[in-house]
Amino acid sequence: MERLNTLFTFSIIYPAVLLQAFSLRSYASPLDQKTSSAFFIFGDSTVDPGNNNYIQTTPENVAATKPYGQNGFFGGPTGRFSDGRVITDFIAEYAKLPLIPPYLQPSAEFTNGANFASGGAGILSETNQGATVIDLQTQLKYFEEVQKTLSEKLGDEKAKELISEAVYFFSIGSNDYMGGYLGNPKMRELHPPEEYVGMVIGNLTNSIQTLYGKGARKFGFLSLSPLGCLPAFRAMKLEMTKEEGCFEEASALALGHNSALSSVLTSLEHLLKGFKYTNSNFYNWLSDRIQNPSEFGFKEGVNACCGTGPFGGIYTCGGTKEIKQFELCDNAEDYIWWDSFHPTERIHEQFAKALWSAPLSLVAPFNLENLFFDKDKLTIADVEDDPEKALCYN
Ligand SMILES: *[C@@H]1O[C@H](CO)[C@@H](O)[C@H](O)[C@H]1NC(C)=O
């Protein structure tokens, strides 16, 4: 476990130089072009669009140097932990919205929504404490600020309508299990795994209810991936046990989390009037691709494109961390994993597409298109009517 601790204790504070080493494209979002619901995003590095470029945090929580963003969509690194876009960028596009700006971007405009996500962030405030991240509680406080600004700008009535029509997307929780639990001996001593999952889900539930109380009605959730199959965990397992394979303890936590989240969402749907949501099975979807990359148009499901050591699992991509050297693959498009912890843009895009138009076999009880454009709930009949469609997402 020693290795785990070093990997997840990000305690070195690097100079602010990093924060200036990137350029951001400006996000145009004219008021009169609003065509669907606004989009608010809460999360961690899976969907951080560059918020961490504006805070003092550790190099592990910043993606502001090359080769991040190398595929050219943004013309360079933006702070996204990807070779290009992340899932929420694609969702915004399908929803006919402009890119949703990072909340901390100076003079950003929020009439189409805001992205509060922060690399390293957890649901619990204890997660990655010490390294500054914007935890979920703080992200909710920021949302309150946006809500106030919108009321001032649009008037109470219009703002209220925007808030209740908007989609609220969550992609958070992995850090609570990685740094927050597996890498935190004190937490593991205090709480057995099931109890810890209960705490994480309890706090996530509170956040959902808080937003509901502020008028939010439509929610989307990206469930947790098979965490133990991240190149970082494969490398760790190899070092600790001399065996290859996924680190099952981490994957088990992700499964426990996903199953608890599903139950909570089913009850909230009954408890909270007008509460609509989409939840996905990202765990199985990604496991299929890791096991059979070639069936899905990939060549490599195990090794990271950017990193060092076994499986590219030593987290060095970007050259700003303790070890400066890293290897980079020739064609990120062939890879599932971009760096030791994060998937490639291609995975983000494929999953965004799946969530957007999926039938019930992948999402429940709404897909994102239905949520954004207020269509009806999916039924089993949708799958039966269109077996081909069901097959592609199974
Ligand atoms: C939320 O997390 C804290 C630890 O940060 C824990 O003490 C508390 O019990 C959790 N709340 C719920 C409702 O589970």
Side-chain angles (χ1 to χ4, degrees), residues 11 55 70 81 90 108 117 156 166 238 280 288 308 338 366 379 389:
S11 52
I55 62 171
Q70 71 166 11
F81 295 76
F90 291 104
D156 286 342
L238 185 67
S280 57
D288 287 347
T308 308
W338 162 246
F366 289 88
T379 62
K389 204 171 173 189

Side-chain angles (χ1 to χ4, degrees), residues 180-207:
Y181 193 68
L182 293 171
N184 183 346
K186 217 177 122 201
M187 196 59 102
R188 277 184 280 125
E189 224 164 83
L190 279 172
H191 305 284
E194 310 78 55
E195 191 179 301
Y196 185 77
V197 171
M199 264 165 58
V200 173
I201 292 291
N203 278 268
L204 180 57
T205 311
N206 284 348
S207 302

